[in-house]
Amino acid sequence: MTRNDNEKTMTILMELSRLIICEMSQHQVVFLREKNGVREFPIIIGLFEATILDRKIRKIASARPLTHDLFCQTVQLLNGKIENIQINQVERQTYFAQIQIKQDGKTILIDSRPSDALAISLCFNPPLPIFVTQEILNDAIQRQQHQPN
């Protein structure tokens, strides 16, 4: 199936919808849902990453800065502004993300795991915008529809 360039570049605004943590499993699930929409899809993450997201969602403070807090503070101290996160690629059911930063009028994109990018998004109130390409959203929904119940 050939995708048109518009579908590969068009982005959809998403929000963190649900986080499912099962301590008996190595695989946890974070769901992203289309903002003001009904489409959603899961991303499998590790237990440690899910625990960090859970702490961020529930606004549980740490005695010392966590890696995500340190990243955000560093960007700000270097006169940068984290603008959004983008989930922009999937290979063999592994998602890839980028963190978009503006510094001195330039846009900088930093490669990231989606779980880390989501944790960075949650460092802000309100959380940073989360974008997913139309192609990834369509593929994820199609994969879900073809999985046995």
Side-chain angles (χ1 to χ4, degrees):
M1 175 192 273
T2 304
R3 302 273 188 221
N4 65 39
D5 287 339
N6 190 36
E7 189 173 85
K8 289 180 180 180
T9 58
M10 190 170 105
T11 57
I12 310 299
L13 182 60
M14 307 292 284
E15 62 188 350
L16 199 145
S17 162
R18 296 182 280 157
L19 176 64
I20 299 174
I21 298 176
C22 176
E23 293 176 0
M24 302 300 286
S25 173
Q26 291 181 3
H27 302 293
Q28 314 308 309
V29 185
V30 60
F31 284 85
L32 297 180
R33 182 182 58 233
E34 182 177 24
K35 187 119 176 170
N36 302 319
V38 296
R39 298 182 295 177
E40 73 173 4
F41 73 99
I43 298 176
I44 306 298
I45 61 175
L47 180 59
F48 177 74
E49 293 80 3
T51 302
I52 294 295
L53 288 176
D54 184 55
R55 291 178 61 92
K56 292 281 186 195
I57 290 166
R58 295 190 301 143
K59 301 186 184 330
I60 297 173
S62 298
R64 302 286 298 138
L66 298 175
T67 304
H68 309 96
D69 302 315
L70 180 63
F71 178 85
C72 294
Q73 291 172 8
T74 301
V75 169
Q76 290 173 343
L77 287 171
L78 295 172
N79 295 319
K81 179 182 179 204
I82 304 171
E83 294 194 321
N84 62 60
I85 67 166
Q86 305 161 13
I87 299 174
N88 60 346
Q89 186 179 349
V90 63
E91 288 181 19
R92 296 186 203 130
Q93 298 181 3
T94 298
Y95 291 95
F96 294 80
Q98 291 183 323
I99 302 162
Q100 181 173 314
I101 299 170
K102 279 277 194 196
Q103 183 186 40
D104 298 329
K106 295 180 183 175
T107 298
I108 302 164
L109 297 173
I110 298 178
D111 184 38
S112 175
R113 298 181 306 174
S115 56
D116 292 330
L118 291 169
I120 288 167
S121 170
L122 294 172
C123 288
F124 295 86
N125 188 15
L128 294 173
I130 303 164
F131 293 101
V132 174
T133 65
Q134 181 70 49
E135 179 182 34
I136 287 175
L137 184 57
N138 288 345
D139 286 347
I141 291 169
Q142 186 176 16
R143 245 193 333 274
Q144 280 182 298
Q145 293 171 345
H146 288 87
Q147 289 185 358
N149 291 335

